[in-house]
Amino acid sequence: MILVSGATGGIGGEICRLLGQAGVPFKAMCRKPEQVEHFKGEGVEAVLGDFDRPETLDGVMEGCDRLFLITPPTPDQVEQEKAAIDAAKRAGVARIVKISASDGNIRSTVPWAKSHALIDHYLRDAGIGWTILKPTAFMQNFFWFKDPIAKGFLPQIAGKGSVSWVDTRDVARVAAKVLTEDGHNHATYFLTGPETLDMKEAASRLSKVTKHKVRYLDLPNPIFKAILRLTGNSRWMANGLVAQFSDVVAGHHDIDPTFEIKRLTGVAPRSFTDFVRDHRDAFVRSN
Ligand SMILES: NC(=O)c1ccc[n+]([C@@H]2O[C@H](COP(=O)([O-])OP(=O)(O)OC[C@H]3O[C@@H](n4cnc5c(N)ncnc54)[C@H](OP(=O)(O)O)[C@@H]3O)[C@@H](O)[C@H]2O)c1
């Protein structure tokens, strides 16, 4: 039995879909009763568990031999994942498949990159089986800017820096594969898309697919940060995103394509053009 956390999120939701399609037994972990009811209504076994309430985790992990572990980027991420790892160990889970980040580094100025590095170290040392997936930046991050993109602008602070963008559907495909196969214990996989694109090229692909001109606006950091704050991001998140794009991306510290997705699943990852084509409507309609 596999326990899938983050079942209501992008990667976790896609894993549930893939496991369901393959007829693999799994339980979807959610933190709200209405989410559990929604899954049950779809014929999916679902359980209530909250990483902020470790007392809820022992019961949900009982009888599970694999755990898909994902948490959103927040200041509580390290504590949440440590609590999950401890509970999994108590429940006798054999292996955890964890979503980490390709730029994980305990000296990073990016808060979630530092958190993932700390959690990766904790997990490797926990005396439980593990597989660590380290994706680069998600193509789905472009949804953050769908309204300005629909108006013809891609606001960023990445200079000429580039990213080997990966589609979360491909990350989920790898996760579903390594959750259901042996031979991945104590393995760390760096997951990327098939090519490395800077923001100018990303804007050009958006223009081609949507058939309206999208210009990359390379903004000063304070203006980008103000936009993030005005669109509802916390100060912590806004500072982190500024560090992510101006230190890591503009500083040319993203990784090259690794081709691991094709090697692990037999199917090549989606290109950025594929991603935009699949979500064309989101980038042409402004709210
Ligand atoms: N964005 C990127 O480019 C990128 C790149 C590499 C790695 N990553 C990593 O990928 C991970 C996923 O990020 P995301 O923002 O894309 O996730 P997401 O799809 O929004 O999923 C987060 C999931 O966690 C659940 N959750 C939140 N708080 C919880 C709690 N206290 N207990 C149990 N479940 C909880 C959410 O449930 P609700 O529906 O109830 O909120 C949701 O299902 C992060 O660790 C991030 O650092 C991101």
Side-chain angles (χ1 to χ4, degrees):
M1 175 60 83
I2 297 169
L3 181 67
V4 180
S5 69
T8 54
I11 297 177
E14 179 67 3
I15 293 173
C16 291
R17 197 186 66 75
L18 292 170
L19 295 179
Q21 205 174 46
V24 175
F26 72 96
K27 292 194 276 190
M29 185 183 113
C30 317
R31 58 179 172 152
K32 294 178 196 140
E34 59 271 28
Q35 296 167 333
V36 170
E37 288 316 309
H38 174 79
F39 274 104
K40 286 185 174 166
E42 311 256 297
V44 173
E45 190 174 347
V47 284
L48 206 51
D50 186 336
F51 294 132
D52 288 329
R53 296 188 297 129
E55 68 280 8
T56 64
L57 299 177
D58 289 333
V60 299
M61 292 196 194
E62 216 174 273
C64 295
D65 59 350
R66 289 185 186 167
L67 165 67
F68 172 71
L69 177 58
I70 188 166
T71 55
T74 70
D76 301 327
Q77 193 165 23
V78 176
E79 287 319 307
Q80 289 178 335
E81 293 204 26
K82 280 185 174 178
I85 294 164
D86 293 345
K89 209 176 155 190
R90 285 194 299 273
V93 169
R95 182 159 57 93
I96 294 177
V97 175
K98 169 186 159 43
I99 293 292
S100 176
S102 63
D103 57 342
N105 172 345
I106 56 168
R107 293 162 300 282
S108 181
T109 54
V110 180
W112 40 87
K114 179 174 179 174
S115 298
H116 279 304
L118 292 169
I119 302 161
D120 291 355
H121 290 313
Y122 189 81
L123 176 56
R124 290 191 182 107
D125 212 25
I128 192 170
W130 52 265
T131 309
I132 297 177
L133 305 182
K134 293 171 93 59
T136 51
F138 300 158
M139 293 178 187
Q140 278 73 6
N141 295 349
F142 281 79
F143 291 137
W144 302 337
F145 306 115
K146 64 183 170 50
D147 291 339
I149 289 170
K151 293 191 173 94
F153 302 104
L154 172 59
Q156 255 297 351
I157 50 172
K160 292 189 163 66
S162 53
V163 175
S164 301
W165 305 99
V166 67
D167 191 308
T168 54
R169 293 171 293 177
D170 293 318
V171 177
R173 214 151 47 76
V174 171
K177 181 90 173 165
V178 303
L179 278 163
T180 51
E181 255 183 17
D182 289 330
H184 301 289
N185 193 18
H186 296 170
T188 301
Y189 299 126
F190 285 80
L191 306 179
T192 70
E195 57 193 344
T196 310
L197 303 183
D198 63 15
M199 296 296 172
K200 197 171 165 204
E201 180 59 23
S204 154
R205 303 278 182 99
L206 283 158
S207 303
K208 269 185 204 136
V209 176
T210 61
K211 297 193 170 40
H212 74 271
K213 181 75 188 159
V214 179
R215 280 190 189 79
Y216 168 35
L217 271 190
D218 193 14
L219 298 171
N221 289 2
I223 293 183
F224 186 69
K225 187 172 159 187
I227 294 174
L228 292 173
R229 293 287 285 140
L230 286 170
T231 50
N233 291 284
S234 67
R235 191 180 304 277
W236 181 88
M237 177 59 77
N239 285 336
L241 288 171
V242 168
Q244 179 87 62
F245 290 107
S246 67
D247 294 354
V248 179
V249 181
H252 302 283
H253 297 304
D254 190 54
I255 60 172
D256 292 334
T258 61
F259 308 102
E260 287 287 75
I261 293 178
K262 171 92 190 286
R263 187 179 69 80
L264 290 161
T265 68
V267 178
R270 292 167 176 86
S271 67
F272 187 70
T273 301
D274 295 334
F275 163 77
V276 181
R277 213 175 272 139
D278 290 349
H279 301 286
R280 189 182 173 279
D281 286 356
F283 297 115
V284 293
R285 280 196 205 114
S286 167
N287 289 328

